[in-house]
Amino acid sequence: MFPTLHNYLSQKSSLSDTEISHVLSHFVVQKAKRKEILIDCNAVSNHFYFIVEGAVRIYSINSEGLELSRFFAFENIFCTALPSFIDQQPTNEYLQAIEHSRLLVINRKDFYKLVDEYHEFERIYRKILEFSFINNQQRIYSYQGYTALERVRLLIKMQPQFLLRVSNKLAASYLGMSPSTLSRTKLKL
């Protein structure tokens, strides 16, 4: 499993093999079952997850009991309940495996130690933050002015495998539409 993260770090940074080995020594393997909650609502996020295999979603539940998916992460992506990880306040969302998943996990203390120790790891963290910001901005803009068809097309452009791996119900919650609207929209593609 570590070769996947080794390759990721090699491609995203100029860390030496020795430095990458040191970074990898801070990660532990975790397997997650489908529908397993990795971070519970109202908990503090103390771990960053790198997805070797599988898929994870971040979602919240509104006052009417409706699940609202905010983000889906697939292989070769880091994810966590980022605001809680940063400010150490309880999160208002869940992190859930939506497929059987193999993950590499690092605790918060070690993660920030590596950020301080290696400029290149700090760059990777910055890229994670930038990706999160851009992803959230695109979602906001798509809700403000895009039709259902435009939102689905944007999703396919940004994550081509998304609709093949995520159930209609979860995809609809991410796109801000009902599953029936998503089904009708997919027919127009």
Side-chain angles (χ1 to χ4, degrees), residues 140-157:
I140 290 168
Y141 296 145
S142 74
Y143 282 123
Q144 289 178 338
Y146 291 9
T147 66
L149 183 58
E150 290 169 328
R151 278 185 263 164
V152 171
R153 283 186 176 146
L154 178 62
L155 178 62
I156 291 168
K157 178 182 174 191

Side-chain angles (χ1 to χ4, degrees), residues 5 8-10 12-16 19-20 22-24 26-27 48 50 78 85 106-129:
L5 183 52
Y8 176 91
L9 295 171
S10 294
K12 303 281 184 184
S13 73
S14 60
L15 289 166
S16 70
E19 291 168 331
I20 290 174
H22 179 72
V23 168
L24 294 177
H26 292 84
F27 285 82
F48 230 121
F50 179 80
F78 278 98
F85 186 82
I106 185 169
N107 68 50
R108 184 179 188 275
K109 179 181 167 222
D110 286 344
F111 183 87
Y112 281 117
K113 182 178 123 191
L114 293 172
V115 166
D116 290 339
E117 192 172 342
Y118 296 112
H119 174 71
E120 286 297 304
F121 197 78
E122 179 184 27
R123 281 188 55 234
I124 289 169
Y125 181 43
R126 188 179 72 237
K127 291 197 176 295
I128 293 167
L129 295 173

Side-chain angles (χ1 to χ4, degrees), residues 72-85:
F72 287 83
F74 301 97
E75 288 84 2
N76 295 315
I77 293 181
F78 278 98
C79 73
T80 191
L82 196 54
S84 176
F85 186 82

Side-chain angles (χ1 to χ4, degrees), residues 15-187:
L15 289 166
S16 70
D17 281 341
T18 303
E19 291 168 331
I20 290 174
S21 293
H22 179 72
V23 168
L24 294 177
S25 73
H26 292 84
F27 285 82
V28 295
V29 176
Q30 181 177 340
K31 291 184 179 182
K33 297 176 183 167
R34 185 176 176 270
K35 295 190 176 186
E36 182 178 334
I37 299 295
L38 302 169
I39 300 174
D40 213 341
C41 185
N42 295 317
V44 174
S45 174
N46 287 309
H47 296 92
F48 230 121
Y49 299 84
F50 179 80
I51 302 169
V52 175
E53 182 179 291
V56 171
R57 78 170 171 141
I58 299 173
Y59 72 98
S60 60
I61 300 175
N62 70 12
S63 60
E64 297 165 0
L66 185 66
E67 291 183 3
L68 307 169
S69 297
R70 180 177 66 79
F71 183 70
F72 287 83
F74 301 97
E75 288 84 2
N76 295 315
I77 293 181
F78 278 98
C79 73
T80 191
L82 196 54
S84 176
F85 186 82
I86 293 169
D87 68 17
Q88 290 294 276
Q89 297 300 308
T91 183
N92 64 350
E93 42 193 18
Y94 300 85
L95 189 76
Q96 178 189 47
I98 61 166
E99 298 175 357
H100 291 286
S101 300
R102 291 187 303 144
L103 312 164
L104 295 175
V105 185
I106 185 169
N107 68 50
R108 184 179 188 275
K109 179 181 167 222
D110 286 344
F111 183 87
Y112 281 117
K113 182 178 123 191
L114 293 172
V115 166
D116 290 339
E117 192 172 342
Y118 296 112
H119 174 71
E120 286 297 304
F121 197 78
E122 179 184 27
R123 281 188 55 234
I124 289 169
Y125 181 43
R126 188 179 72 237
K127 291 197 176 295
I128 293 167
L129 295 173
E130 290 170 352
F131 174 81
S132 179
F133 176 77
I134 290 167
N135 184 65
N136 288 332
Q137 288 297 110
Q138 288 174 332
R139 291 208 55 230
I140 290 168
Y141 296 145
S142 74
Y143 282 123
Q144 289 178 338
Y146 291 9
T147 66
L149 183 58
E150 290 169 328
R151 278 185 263 164
V152 171
R153 283 186 176 146
L154 178 62
L155 178 62
I156 291 168
K157 178 182 174 191
M158 301 302 289
Q159 292 182 298
Q161 82 284 8
F162 188 95
L163 294 175
L164 302 173
R165 293 187 60 185
V166 175
S167 73
N168 231 34
K169 179 183 174 187
L170 296 182
S173 78
Y174 178 72
L175 291 164
M177 59 183 74
S178 70
S180 59
T181 299
L182 177 56
S183 292
R184 286 191 306 273
T185 302
K186 285 169 37 177
L187 293 172

